Amino acid sequence: MNALERRASAGLAGIYAFRMLGLFLILPVFALYAEHLPGATPVLVGLAIGVYGLTQALLQIPFGMLSDRLGRKPVILAGLLLFALGSVIAALADDVVWVIVGRAVQGAGAVSAAIMALAADLTRESQRTKAMAAIGMTIGFSFMLALLIGPALDAWVGVSGIFWLTAGMAVCGMGILLVVVPTPRLERVHHDAEPVPEILRNVVRDGQLLRLDWGIFSLHLVLTALFLVYPLVLRDAGLPPSDHHWLYLPVLVGSLVFMVPLIILAERGGRMRGVFLVAIAMLGLAQVGMYVVGPQLWLLGFLLCAFFTATNLLEAMLPAMVSRVAPAGAKGSAMGVYSTSQFTGAFCGGLLGGWLHQALGIGAVFLGTAAVTLLWFLMAMSMRTPRSLSNELRSLGDARGQDAGELTRRLLGVAGVAEVMVVPEEDVAYLKVDTKQLDRCALDAILAPGA
């Protein structure tokens, strides 16, 4: 990456991290805080935690498309203003209904697709994947950081203080956008970074992609529902809420340690499907275990470590599998539907978990999410192993101006090239290639750098 690309990637990753951290910070503490809110019921608590997912799911693709017309920075700025407004509403709330309103407004600042599109505008084709990966990694980092500092912040400034801090992070994000992130000279649609309307209809009809969308929906449903009751379980097991982070810290470190060899086995050992199924099974068994063991702290910590090992593994594998399965030139659209499914899952997890807690008790939440995981496991068993193909984005170079159909035919004739989409408007060709068989000399001969 050159200096401008590093600056753009770091700035946009910072904005994304601030926003996601603000959404996640209340997860480990809100269930305990809400017990003292007027009008709070488990269903309303679940809605307060998960409602951001509904507005995020409804608006992120439209916001991305709007940024194609109005510009990236104005749309992102508007989204951050909404996020700050929602945080202030929640901070000032004196009952659970206004917290729900605030969280819904937070989610309405759905700028994920616009951020990815701006990253694509500011990076060369050869460096774009690195920028996208840097931004995407902030989701997992923000979630883990929220678990570690959320309980400590709650003890220090309370949940209302956390919402004020979140509003401050949104303002910092605006500053980063205006001061740090460069303004692109040219903004255009990028098939690899954002949803494209004419491709979306094909993506939502792809059975393999839909199975992966169901996977991320299920994972975030389970994750959200878990945090409606797990802080209560830890408290009842004798761990004070202000000390919950002392359990989360070794659990998260252990889960990362256990995840690494499984990732290596999946990627280098060629056992992606097997490791994927094992992770789903581990996720479900951990939830059943939480139902069985009761308030035994060390067992709860062990099961949570297994749960997060599976969660971290699946969070890493699912987008990689979407990238492999999506047709050439459809990655942005596939990831748009995938992200919408993810946030919809968070919303449904809040509703389902809250309803089960209210109607049948804490144990029912663990059994209900285990049932969702079992359904996911059964659907995943029918998946085909994704082909070991990589996405490659190449400038048309000297081939610009050639007939797109003829150029596609020539590129498909290159050894190792499996799929091609030529987009003259972007001056690029989207390729799916087998890197072990790819004839790069032949590919370079067709797509020479040009002027």
Side-chain angles (χ1 to χ4, degrees):
M1 285 188 175
N2 58 35
L4 183 143
E5 289 167 333
R6 288 194 297 271
R7 179 179 159 194
S9 299
L12 291 171
I15 295 170
Y16 209 88
F18 276 141
R19 188 174 176 280
M20 298 312 297
L21 180 60
L23 290 172
F24 291 147
L25 268 174
I26 71 162
L27 271 182
V29 299
F30 189 75
L32 295 163
Y33 166 77
E35 289 182 326
H36 309 292
L37 275 177
T41 65
V43 169
L44 291 178
V45 171
L47 189 58
I49 288 180
V51 71
Y52 83 92
L54 177 63
T55 47
Q56 175 87 16
L58 290 174
L59 295 174
Q60 70 155 349
I61 290 180
F63 264 44
M65 293 178 179
L66 193 62
S67 75
D68 293 332
R69 297 188 176 187
L70 302 182
R72 313 297 188 203
K73 283 194 170 183
V75 168
I76 296 172
L77 188 63
L80 291 173
L81 283 169
L82 280 172
F83 186 66
L85 175 62
S87 300
V88 171
I89 292 171
L92 295 173
D94 55 7
D95 62 43
V96 71
V97 173
W98 278 106
V99 175
I100 293 170
V101 172
R103 290 283 283 175
V105 176
Q106 278 187 325
V111 295
S112 302
I115 287 175
M116 291 298 187
L118 180 54
D121 289 329
L122 292 169
T123 52
R124 291 166 294 165
E125 293 86 355
S126 60
Q127 303 300 317
R128 194 169 298 163
T129 300
K130 297 177 187 176
M132 300 297 177
I135 295 169
M137 285 170 59
T138 62
I139 298 176
F141 172 77
S142 299
F143 177 76
M144 286 188 254
L145 184 61
L147 289 189
L148 296 179
I149 69 174
L153 285 172
D154 180 39
W156 183 30
V157 298
V159 169
S160 61
I162 290 176
F163 282 123
W164 282 116
L165 178 63
T166 298
M169 288 191 291
V171 173
C172 289
M174 295 178 211
I176 292 172
L177 180 69
L178 296 174
V179 176
V180 177
V181 178
T183 299
R185 289 177 296 176
L186 177 65
E187 295 179 349
R188 58 188 180 188
V189 176
H190 303 273
H191 284 60
D192 62 330
E194 57 185 303
V196 179
E198 55 267 26
I199 294 178
L200 277 172
R201 62 175 64 92
N202 295 325
V203 166
V204 297
R205 294 173 183 169
D206 188 310
Q208 295 296 101
L209 286 173
L210 286 176
R211 286 175 173 84
L212 296 172
D213 295 334
W214 173 261
I216 197 63
F217 169 89
S218 302
L219 183 59
H220 280 259
L221 182 155
V222 168
L223 194 60
T224 305
L226 176 80
F227 279 99
L228 290 177
V229 295
Y230 196 80
L232 306 177
V233 172
L234 289 182
R235 182 199 58 190
D236 294 344
L239 188 65
S242 59
D243 291 338
H244 284 190
H245 60 287
W246 293 117
L247 181 136
Y248 292 138
L249 178 59
V251 160
L252 289 173
V253 171
S255 68
L256 292 174
V257 170
F258 294 134
M259 179 190 77
V260 171
L262 293 172
I263 285 284
I264 294 172
L265 181 64
E267 291 291 341
R268 300 181 185 176
R271 299 183 181 181
M272 179 172 283
R273 184 175 181 275
V275 172
F276 185 62
L277 291 173
V278 166
I280 299 173
M282 187 189 304
L283 190 75
L285 290 172
Q287 294 160 78
V288 173
M290 290 175 190
Y291 171 78
V292 171
V293 301
Q296 300 182 58
L297 197 56
W298 73 273
L299 282 175
L300 287 170
F302 171 79
L303 290 167
L304 190 64
C305 184
F307 179 91
F308 276 122
T309 299
T311 298
N312 292 334
L313 185 59
L314 291 164
E315 289 278 16
M317 294 183 71
L318 279 164
M321 294 171 77
V322 170
S323 181
R324 287 190 180 187
V325 171
K331 181 182 174 183
S333 298
M335 289 305 299
V337 176
Y338 173 87
S339 296
T340 298
S341 303
Q342 170 184 325
F343 291 115
T344 305
F347 170 67
C348 292
L351 276 186
L352 177 64
W355 177 78
L356 288 172
H357 183 196
Q358 184 166 315
L360 301 170
I362 287 176
V365 177
F366 294 129
L367 290 182
T369 52
V372 171
T373 309
L374 175 60
L375 178 58
W376 178 15
F377 181 83
L378 295 174
M379 291 185 68
M381 286 185 67
S382 64
M383 280 193 64
R384 298 188 298 270
T385 301
R387 293 182 296 171
S388 297
L389 298 176
S390 300
N391 290 284
E392 190 151 328
L393 178 59
R394 297 289 296 264
S395 172
L396 296 183
D398 282 343
R400 71 171 58 90
Q402 291 187 23
D403 177 73
E406 174 60 21
L407 182 56
T408 298
R409 186 191 65 77
R410 291 177 61 200
L411 290 170
L412 285 172
V414 175
V417 175
E419 298 178 22
V420 175
M421 175 184 281
V422 175
V423 184
E425 297 82 5
E426 295 181 46
D427 191 31
V428 295
Y430 295 96
L431 311 175
K432 303 278 284 192
V433 302
D434 183 337
T435 55
K436 295 180 180 178
Q437 300 181 18
L438 182 62
D439 185 345
R440 292 200 174 273
C441 291
L443 188 60
D444 290 341
I446 298 173
L447 300 176

